[in-house]
Amino acid sequence: MGQIEWAMWANEQALASGLILITGGIVATAGQFTQWYFGAYSIAAGVFICLLEYPRGKRKKGSTMERCGQKYMTKVVKLFGPFSRNYYVRAILHLGLSVPAGFLLATILGTACLAISSGIYLLAATRGEQWTPIESKPKERPQVGATIKQPPSNPPPRPPAEARKKLSEEEEVATGVSSGPQENPIPVTDEVV
C-alpha cells in the first residue's frame, strides 16, 4: 500500500480554514460584535493563509493537478525560500495565527480548522515532507514525420474540401460508377427451388 502524503491534506484543510476565517471575520465585523477587531484580524489572517496555501505543492509520486492561476502565486511563495518550504514553519505559523481568532464566536470554527491543519502540517514535517513548486515542463516540439498521418494524394494546387466533394460526385455521375449503395444485378425471388 502506498504512503500517504500528508501535506496535500494539510494544504486543502488550511485553504478551507482560511476561507472560513474570512467568512467569520466578515460576519463579526459587519455585525459589529463587541470584539469586532478580532473579526478584522480574522479577515487579514484568512487572506494571508489563502495566498500562502493557494499554490499546491508537487507530489513525490504521480502527477499533481495545478490550481487555476497557481503559477503566479508560486513565484511569490518561492521568494520566501525555506520559510515557505518547511512544514514545521507552516505548522507553527498556522497555530500562531489561529490563537487570536479563537476569542470570537464567529471565527472559532476557522480557528479549529486552522489548528487541525497545523497538526497535519506537523505530521507531514515529521514524515520528511516539504513543499516543492510545480514546475511546468517545456513543451516538446512534435516530430515532422509524426504529425503527417497520410500524405495528400493529388498534387498542389488542391481545391478546398467542399469543391473536392462536388468534383468526386460529378465524376461518379459522368463515369456511372457510384461509391454509394449498389443494386444487386441478380433479381431475388421468394421461390424455393
Side-chain angles (χ1 to χ4, degrees), residues 133-168:
I134 300 173
E135 303 284 332
S136 59
K137 297 176 184 174
K139 294 183 179 179
E140 295 180 13
R141 296 175 66 183
Q143 299 291 336
V144 176
T147 58
I148 301 173
K149 302 271 190 259
Q150 184 177 11
S153 57
N154 56 341
R158 294 186 235 349
E162 299 86 31
R164 279 185 262 160
K165 288 179 184 175
K166 289 179 184 176
L167 286 175
S168 63

Side-chain angles (χ1 to χ4, degrees), residues 3-165:
Q3 187 177 1
I4 294 175
E5 291 188 37
W6 291 99
M8 299 299 282
W9 289 91
N11 177 262
E12 296 294 330
Q13 178 75 23
L15 186 62
S17 63
L19 294 172
I20 294 168
L21 273 176
I22 291 171
T23 306
I26 290 171
V27 168
T29 307
Q32 296 179 346
F33 284 26
T34 55
Q35 296 176 329
W36 64 269
Y37 44 87
F38 285 122
Y41 165 80
S42 295
I43 293 171
V47 168
F48 174 73
I49 291 166
C50 287
L51 292 176
L52 177 66
E53 296 295 333
Y54 189 72
R56 281 187 180 133
K58 186 177 181 182
R59 295 177 63 190
K60 289 181 182 177
K61 292 182 179 178
S63 62
T64 308
M65 189 75 166
E66 191 173 290
R67 288 189 175 112
C68 182
Q70 173 178 333
K71 59 185 172 183
Y72 305 111
M73 284 307 301
T74 300
K75 293 176 185 176
V76 175
V77 173
K78 278 172 52 176
L79 288 175
F80 292 110
F83 292 111
S84 62
R85 267 190 238 121
N86 192 341
Y87 287 143
Y88 284 115
V89 173
R90 284 197 188 190
I92 293 168
L93 177 72
H94 289 337
L95 191 61
L97 287 173
S98 70
V99 171
F103 293 111
L104 193 60
L105 184 61
T107 59
I108 199 141
L109 180 62
T111 300
C113 292
L114 197 58
I116 290 169
S117 68
S118 173
I120 299 171
Y121 267 133
L122 188 61
L123 180 63
T126 57
R127 303 278 174 137
E129 297 178 33
Q130 73 172 8
W131 185 82
T132 52
I134 300 173
E135 303 284 332
S136 59
K137 297 176 184 174
K139 294 183 179 179
E140 295 180 13
R141 296 175 66 183
Q143 299 291 336
V144 176
T147 58
I148 301 173
K149 302 271 190 259
Q150 184 177 11
S153 57
N154 56 341
R158 294 186 235 349
E162 299 86 31
R164 279 185 262 160
K165 288 179 184 175

